[in-house]
Amino acid sequence: MYIDDTIAAIATAPGEGGIGIVRISGKKSLDIADNIFKSVSGKKIKEYNPRTLIYGNILEEEKIIDEVLVAYMKAPYTYTKEDIIEINCHGGFLSVKKILELVLKKGARLAGPGEFTKRAFLNGRIDLSQAEAVIDIIRAKTDLSYNIAQNQLEGNLSSEIRKLRNKVTAILAHIEVSIDFPDEDIEHLTYETLYNKSKELKEDIIKLYETSETGKIMRDGLKTVIVGKPNVGKSSLLNAILKESRAIVTDIPGTTRDVIEEFVSIKGIPLKIIDTAGIRETEDLVEKIGVEKSKEFFEKADLIILVLDASRELSSEDIDILNNIKDKQAIVLINKIDLPSKLDEQKIKEYINKDRVIKISAIQRTGIDKLEDEIASMVYKGDVSQKDSVMITNVRHKDALGKAINSINDAIRSIEDNMPLDFVEVDFKNIWDYLGEVSGDTVSEDLLDTIFRDFCIGK
């Protein structure tokens, strides 16, 4: 499905740099480039072998715009499976802008967000899950999240989906044979076989689906909120985790008045750590706004880290927070263990599992390794390891697999009730379609537009 028009965009980040790239894709790419580029040898680009870097200048009416290297890549062996030209110029804002404007003037149009990758999908070079992996690679914040995205780009998720769809195809073939040849013995065998194959397929889909929670964290980061009363050591904890003095630390309650956000990698897990203002009653207007923000983040967090002061007795504010984290993913840190203890630890364990209560000294970085181990344990839950080759990281994929599981449950109920095979066939066709949504085999144009609009223009 080759697209008729030719697109162009700046493929490098804006600002100063060693090099800037203007990318052109489409059937007019070579003609446009030959029209504005003059090699030092005097030869046209088409006279060189494809994939050769050609030195010369970009000209507008004989005026040199920039000194460049041009690469011509011939279809179909390119990223988009179309002819591609890449103009490597000096990495300044004006140089790439002027070259792009000239390319557009000569007949290309400005590419939309992610349109190069969209064309790679539409032209069959990659499937939709691989296309989505491209943006995951760009946005990866840890080595592990990068490896998972790279794994998906290589087609490992596509391969798993293809295996599942092949199983659905085999089941559908079995059903259609039974419908076409409704012999009583065959039908009895069909229901028994269908039940066993359906249960096996369900287990395979669920196994993939259950990686989604961990996968989403690897892709988007674990939103982790540090909460507690003023002056319990929240900012000291943030500094200890980051291994730098990011937050101001004083003995004055209410020092942190706004929300501080930082990304950090803990055992390969990207954490979006949010240090909030101390939760307490206050008449200070600015601090009061900070406290309200803290409560908002508290409700939206994936993980809550409550910091308590070992040198002080539990207060009513501490008890209120403990009550609020009962049914949430939370860890309680007893900080300042280097000071004489006045805290009733048994009381804390009435609200939270004792394994989630960790003693630390944020100032001395004592116990921080135990906190990191517990966070890793909570994310992986023993079910998913870093060595798993395929992981669902995308909410869209999770939703499609969830729908497939619902359909297979409907199919199993129909089989158990000995419903006509036509009903069962409908459920399995739905499963086929839902699995196809992951790879893009069954997807609407509107959904494609939604997916690719989050991409940068030049990708």
Side-chain angles (χ1 to χ4, degrees), residues 130-167:
Q130 290 173 294
E132 289 166 306
V134 172
I135 197 68
D136 290 349
I137 286 174
I138 293 169
R139 293 176 177 171
K141 295 176 178 66
T142 68
D143 287 343
L144 184 54
S145 57
Y146 178 86
N147 290 339
I148 291 168
Q150 187 65 47
N151 196 289
Q152 186 172 317
L153 180 61
E154 289 171 9
N156 288 351
L157 175 59
S158 308
S159 177
E160 286 298 311
I161 294 298
R162 193 158 49 247
K163 288 175 188 174
L164 292 172
R165 293 189 95 202
N166 286 341
K167 288 184 178 182

Side-chain angles (χ1 to χ4, degrees), residues 219-236:
R219 181 178 187 255
D220 300 331
L222 185 71
K223 191 182 291 183
T224 306
V225 176
I226 303 173
V227 298
K229 292 187 309 184
N231 212 32
V232 293
K234 298 187 300 299
S235 296
S236 296

Side-chain angles (χ1 to χ4, degrees), residues 14 25 68 88 125 163 172 190 275 316 339 349 357 366 430:
S25 179
V68 300
N88 298 259
R125 182 184 171 274
K163 288 175 188 174
L172 280 169
T190 295
D275 179 23
S316 57
L339 300 177
K349 290 168 185 175
V357 180
T366 304
N430 287 337

Side-chain angles (χ1 to χ4, degrees), residues 1 21 27 62 114 132 170 198 220 239 253 288 307 400 423 451:
M1 184 180 172
I21 297 174
K27 61 183 181 181
E62 301 304 316
E132 289 166 306
S198 298
D220 300 331
N239 291 341
K288 188 178 287 188
V307 184
F423 289 88
I451 290 169

Side-chain angles (χ1 to χ4, degrees), residues 61 69 71 88 116 144 155 222 266 354 365 383 430 457-458:
E61 296 176 357
L69 290 170
N88 298 259
F116 292 95
L144 184 54
L222 185 71
I266 291 181
K354 62 182 176 63
R365 294 202 83 254
D383 299 325
N430 287 337
I457 296 289

Side-chain angles (χ1 to χ4, degrees), residues 406-421:
N406 290 336
S407 290
I408 202 164
N409 284 334
D410 291 341
I412 289 170
R413 280 193 293 271
S414 296
I415 293 166
E416 289 174 334
D417 294 339
N418 285 318
M419 296 285 286
L421 289 176

